[in-house]
Amino acid sequence: MTLTPKRKWYLAFVIAASTVSAGGVRLVDGPNNCSGRVEVYYAGQWGTVCDDDWDLLDAKVVCRALGCGVALEAPDQAHFGQGRGEIWLKDVQCSGNEGSLLGCSSDGLGSHNCGHSEDAAAICEGQSADLTVRLVDGPNRCSGRVEVYQDGSWGTVCDDNWALLDAQVVCRELSCGPATEAPHQAHFGEGSGSILLDDVACMGSEGSLLECSSGGIGNHDCGHDEDASVTCMMDGISRVRLVNGPNNCSGRVEVFDSGQWGTVCDDDWDQRDAQVMCRELGCGEALEAFGSARFGKGSGSISLDDLACSGSEVSLLQCPHSGLGNHDCGHHEDAGVTCAGPTENSSISRVRLVNGPNNCSGRVEVFHSGQWGTVCDDDWDLLDAKVVCRALGCGVALEAPDQAHFGQGRGEIWLKDVQCSGNEGSLLGCSSDGLGSHNCGHSEDAAAICEGQSGPSPSDFHSDLTVRLVDGPNRCSGRVEVYQDGSWGTVCDDNWAVLDAQVVCRELSCGPATEAPHQAHFGEGSGSILLDDVACMGSEGSLLECSSGGIGNHDCGHDEDASVTCMMEQEDPFKNNGISRVRLVNGPNNCSGRVEVFDSGQWGTVCDDDWDQRDAQVMCRELGCGEALEAFGSARFGKGSGSISLDDLACSGSEVSLLQCPHSGLGNHDCGHHEDAGVTCAGSASGAF
C-alpha cells in the first residue's frame, strides 16, 4: 500500500521509539481528519490539549505533523466539542518549526488546571492523504453518501459490490462505531463531479477505504445514480449497551463515545434512568436500577454522571447529565440495570453447558452476581444432571461426568454438594452448600451429557427455536439450522447478510461473523426449510428475534440454504485449551495494545510475569502484525477488567499461536491488572499504521 504523509510520519515515530506512548497526534470530531479537536497519545491512551496560550503556531505544528498543509485557524473553547478522559498538555508554546507537538514548550505531560470546555482545536488547509473519506447529505456526520478525496477534490464511490464490510471500514475510519447499512442507488442523493472508486471489496478489518481492493482510482463504469452510501450506528455518542450480565437486557450500563465504551456513575441513578435505558434497548420495563458495580467494575473511562432522566426520553443521552467525561466517581460506583425482557431476571437466572460437542453436553456453569461460575463435582450425580438437562430443554440426562471431563473452567465456583431429587425446575432449587461455599478446585468441575439438542429453554424468552452450524470445518462455520417441534430445518438465503450471521455467531459464542455465504455453501440440507427473508439488525440475542417471513413460510429450495462463518473457530473443544482468539486493545491501532485472549465466552488479560520479546513475537505473528518492536508490562496500555487468563508464558518465539506456548494453565495466576502485558508490533494486520 502507499503510505500517506501522516502514515509515514507515524510509522517513523513508532519504529524510532519502539512505542507510540508519546508523540501520536490526531484531529477528531471535525468535518474531516484535518480539522478537529487536538488529541495526543501518551501512556496508552488519547488525551486532549488545553487551550491556554494555544495559537496558530501551535496549530501549524499539528497540521504539518499530520500532512494536512497550512494551519488556517487555532480554535479554542472546545470548538469541536468536549473530549473526555485525560488532558495531556497545557500552555503549549511552539515556534511553528517543531516536528512534533511534544517538541514544543509546555507545562509537562499531565500538568494542567483545565477542563474539557477548554479543549484546543486546529483547522488545516488540506486533506492529510491522497485519499480520505467523508459522509455527506445524510442526517449527521455518520450517515450519508460516501465521498473520497483526491487531488484537491471530492468524488463518490460506485455501489457495485458495495456491502456492509465496506461500510464497516468507512465507519471505523470516521470513528462512527459499527456500520448498520450499506445503501445503494444514491440513497442520500446523487453526488457530482468525479466517481473515484468502483468494485470496492473490503475484508472489513482495514484501517482505511484505500486499503481495500478496488478497480483503481478513477476506474469505473457507473453513474451517480449508483453512488454508495453508509449508515453507522453511532452519531457522536449514540450507542448504549448492557454488559457482564446474564443477557443483553441486564448488566452494567455503558455508552460509546470517541471510539470507546465508558461506564455510567451511579450518582442519582434511579428507576427513571433505568427505564430510559431499557426502552432504548427494546428490553421492556426496567425491573431494577443497580449501583455499586453490581455487574462488576468496568475499566477505562467513566462517561456520564449525575443523570437525571424524566423517564420519557427516547435515549439516555437526551437526559440531563454533568457533561461527557465529567464525574467524581470510581468504577466501584458503576451503574447497572435489569430489564423485564428477554430472560429471567433473578440474581442467578441461567445455566449453561460449555466446551462440549453441542449445547446439550458440556461443563455445567451457572450465572450469579454478574458472572458465570462452575459447579463442584462433590456428590454430583445423574439426578443433578437430570435437572440441568430439563432446564435447558435437552431431554434425558445420559451421564454426569466429574473431574473436569470437558476441561477446567475459570473464575468462580458457585455450587458444591448439589443434591437434587431430579424433579426440581432449576439447579438452584436443589440442596447445596450455598452459593460460593466450596473447598474445590476447577479440576473438580461437574459436567452433564444430555440426550438431545436443546429446543426450548425455560429461561429463554424466545420459545422453541435454537440454532446450530453443520457440515462445516468446525462448530463455528457451516450451514445454518434451527430447531422446532423436535427437528432441525434450514434457513433460506434470501436477504441473508453479515448482520444475520452476526446474530448466529453471537448466539453460539463463536465471536464475530466474517462471512454469510449463500447457495448452500456448506452443502444442501434436507427436511424442512424453517426461515426465509431473515432481516436482523445485528444486535439481537437470537435469530428468532430477527424479522422474518415466519416459521415455515418460504419460497426456497435447499440449493439456497444459508451459511455462516464466524471468526472464532474451535474445531476441537479442547484445542488451544479452549482459547481460540487473541487481540490487542486500548492502543492506537490493532497492532499495538494490551494483550487479551478469548476463553469461555469472554476476554481476559495476560500477566506480565516472564512476558518478553519472544512472547511478543508470537503474538505479533499470530495477528499478522509483523515483527514485535517492544514487549510491555505494568499495564502500559491501561488496566483490563474481568479475568486474567494467562500467566508465566514461556514462548520460544517460533510458535504459531500464543496458546501453543507453555504457561501456568488457564486462569491460574498470581497477578493483578496492574501487571497486564502489552505489545507494539512493527506492522499492521490491515494497514493499521
Side-chain angles (χ1 to χ4, degrees):
M1 77 174 225
T2 301
L3 288 175
T4 66
K6 176 180 177 181
R7 292 172 186 271
K8 288 177 181 176
W9 175 85
Y10 194 53
L11 184 56
F13 180 87
V14 172
I15 293 174
S18 295
T19 175
V20 292
S21 63
V25 65
R26 67 181 182 184
L27 295 174
V28 299
D29 284 348
N32 55 65
N33 56 353
C34 286
S35 295
R37 182 175 64 252
V38 180
E39 295 192 353
V40 293
Y41 192 85
Y42 176 69
Q45 59 186 308
W46 291 97
T48 62
V49 176
C50 181
D51 64 11
D52 292 353
D53 292 327
W54 184 256
D55 60 22
L56 203 61
L57 289 174
D58 308 319
K60 179 180 178 182
V61 173
V62 172
C63 294
R64 181 190 303 110
L66 293 174
C68 285
V70 176
L72 301 178
E73 294 182 55
D76 54 12
Q77 297 182 320
H79 182 81
F80 288 104
Q82 296 185 26
R84 57 201 288 257
E86 299 291 342
I87 299 174
W88 283 132
L89 293 174
K90 173 182 173 285
D91 292 328
V92 176
Q93 292 181 310
C94 302
S95 68
N97 298 316
E98 294 85 355
S100 162
L101 203 61
L102 290 202
C104 303
S105 169
S106 74
D107 283 357
L109 282 161
S111 298
H112 70 88
N113 58 356
C114 305
H116 283 297
S117 60
E118 302 170 80
D119 285 342
I123 297 175
C124 311
E125 179 185 38
Q127 297 296 326
S128 69
D130 297 327
L131 192 70
T132 190
V133 67
R134 68 181 182 182
L135 297 174
V136 298
D137 290 345
N140 51 65
R141 75 173 189 90
C142 291
S143 295
R145 181 176 64 253
V146 182
E147 295 192 352
V148 292
Y149 189 87
Q150 198 222 10
D151 294 337
S153 62
W154 291 94
T156 61
V157 176
C158 181
D159 65 12
D160 291 347
N161 298 322
W162 186 254
L164 199 66
L165 288 175
D166 310 315
Q168 199 80 300
V169 174
V170 172
C171 292
R172 183 187 304 112
E173 189 169 1
L174 294 174
S175 298
C176 283
T180 58
E181 293 182 72
H184 289 210
Q185 297 179 317
H187 182 80
F188 288 103
E190 296 185 12
S192 58
S194 301
I195 299 173
L196 292 178
L197 289 176
D198 190 12
D199 295 321
V200 175
C202 301
M203 296 295 293
S205 57
E206 295 85 354
S208 165
L209 198 64
L210 184 55
E211 294 165 12
C212 302
S213 170
S214 74
I217 295 174
N219 297 326
H220 69 88
D221 57 1
C222 305
H224 282 297
D225 58 327
E226 299 172 83
D227 285 342
S229 297
V230 164
T231 297
C232 309
M233 189 172 286
M234 173 162 23
D235 313 316
I237 274 191
S238 60
R239 182 87 177 106
V240 296
R241 69 180 183 181
L242 294 173
V243 300
N244 224 35
N247 55 69
N248 58 355
C249 287
S250 182
R252 182 174 65 246
V253 180
E254 295 192 353
V255 295
F256 195 88
D257 173 45
S258 300
Q260 60 183 316
W261 290 98
T263 62
V264 174
C265 182
D266 64 10
D267 292 348
D268 296 326
W269 179 257
D270 60 21
Q271 196 72 11
R272 290 170 298 183
D273 307 318
Q275 188 62 36
V276 174
M277 183 72 180
C278 292
R279 183 187 305 114
E280 185 170 1
L281 290 174
C283 285
E285 293 296 308
L287 296 181
E288 193 163 358
F290 298 104
S292 303
R294 174 64 176 268
F295 293 99
K297 296 179 184 180
S299 62
S301 301
I302 298 175
S303 299
L304 293 175
D305 191 12
D306 299 322
L307 273 162
C309 302
S310 68
S312 60
E313 294 86 355
V314 174
S315 168
L316 202 64
L317 277 298
Q318 294 177 349
C319 301
H321 55 78
S322 59
L324 280 170
N326 296 326
H327 67 87
D328 56 1
C329 306
H331 282 298
H332 63 287
E333 300 170 83
D334 285 343
V337 65
T338 292
C339 311
T343 62
E344 292 175 339
N345 294 282
S346 59
S347 62
I348 179 165
S349 59
R350 291 199 63 180
V351 62
R352 67 181 183 183
L353 295 174
V354 298
N355 261 23
N358 56 63
N359 56 353
C360 285
S361 295
R363 182 175 64 248
V364 180
E365 295 192 353
V366 292
F367 193 88
H368 175 63
S369 296
Q371 59 185 310
W372 291 97
T374 62
V375 176
C376 181
D377 63 12
D378 291 354
D379 292 326
W380 184 256
D381 61 22
L382 203 61
L383 290 175
D384 309 319
K386 178 180 179 182
V387 174
V388 172
C389 294
R390 181 190 303 109
L392 293 173
C394 285
V396 176
L398 300 179
E399 294 183 54
D402 54 10
Q403 296 182 320
H405 182 80
F406 288 103
Q408 295 186 27
R410 55 202 287 253
E412 299 291 341
I413 298 174
W414 283 131
L415 292 174
K416 172 182 173 282
D417 291 328
V418 176
Q419 294 182 309
C420 302
S421 68
N423 300 316
E424 295 84 356
S426 162
L427 203 61
L428 289 211
C430 304
S431 168
S432 75
D433 283 358
L435 282 162
S437 298
H438 70 88
N439 58 357
C440 305
H442 283 298
S443 61
E444 301 170 83
D445 285 342
I449 298 175
C450 311
E451 179 184 35
Q453 295 289 333
S454 70
S457 167
S459 64
D460 196 353
F461 147 91
H462 41 262
S463 81
D464 55 353
L465 194 69
T466 190
V467 67
R468 68 180 182 183
L469 297 174
V470 299
D471 289 346
N474 52 67
R475 73 171 193 89
C476 290
S477 294
R479 182 175 64 252
V480 182
E481 295 192 353
V482 292
Y483 189 89
Q484 197 222 11
D485 293 338
S487 62
W488 292 93
T490 62
V491 176
C492 182
D493 64 12
D494 292 347
N495 299 321
W496 186 253
V498 173
L499 285 176
D500 310 313
Q502 199 79 301
V503 173
V504 173
C505 293
R506 184 187 304 112
E507 190 169 0
L508 293 175
S509 298
C510 284
T514 57
E515 293 183 73
H518 288 211
Q519 296 180 319
H521 182 79
F522 289 102
E524 296 185 13
S526 60
S528 301
I529 298 174
L530 291 178
L531 289 177
D532 190 12
D533 296 321
V534 176
C536 301
M537 296 294 294
S539 57
E540 295 85 352
S542 165
L543 198 64
L544 185 57
E545 294 169 11
C546 302
S547 169
S548 73
I551 295 174
N553 297 325
H554 68 89
D555 56 0
C556 306
H558 282 298
D559 58 325
E560 300 171 80
D561 285 343
S563 298
V564 164
T565 297
C566 310
M567 186 175 291
M568 177 126 17
E569 300 184 345
Q570 295 176 312
E571 181 172 347
D572 178 336
F574 304 106
K575 181 180 179 180
N576 288 340
N577 293 323
I579 295 182
S580 60
R581 182 88 177 106
V582 296
R583 68 179 183 182
L584 294 174
V585 300
N586 223 36
N589 55 67
N590 59 352
C591 288
S592 182
R594 182 173 66 247
V595 180
E596 294 193 352
V597 294
F598 195 87
D599 174 45
S600 299
Q602 60 184 314
W603 291 98
T605 61
V606 174
C607 182
D608 64 10
D609 292 348
D610 296 326
W611 180 257
D612 61 18
Q613 196 74 9
R614 289 170 299 182
D615 307 316
Q617 188 64 32
V618 174
M619 183 73 180
C620 293
R621 183 187 305 114
E622 186 169 2
L623 291 174
C625 286
E627 293 296 308
L629 295 179
E630 192 161 358
F632 298 103
S634 304
R636 178 63 175 269
F637 293 98
K639 297 179 183 180
S641 62
S643 302
I644 298 175
S645 299
L646 292 175
D647 190 12
D648 298 324
L649 272 162
C651 302
S652 68
S654 60
E655 294 86 354
V656 174
S657 167
L658 202 64
L659 275 301
Q660 293 177 349
C661 302
H663 55 79
S664 59
L666 280 169
N668 296 327
H669 68 88
D670 56 1
C671 307
H673 282 298
H674 63 288
E675 300 171 84
D676 285 344
V679 65
T680 291
C681 310
S684 170
S686 17
F689 285 100

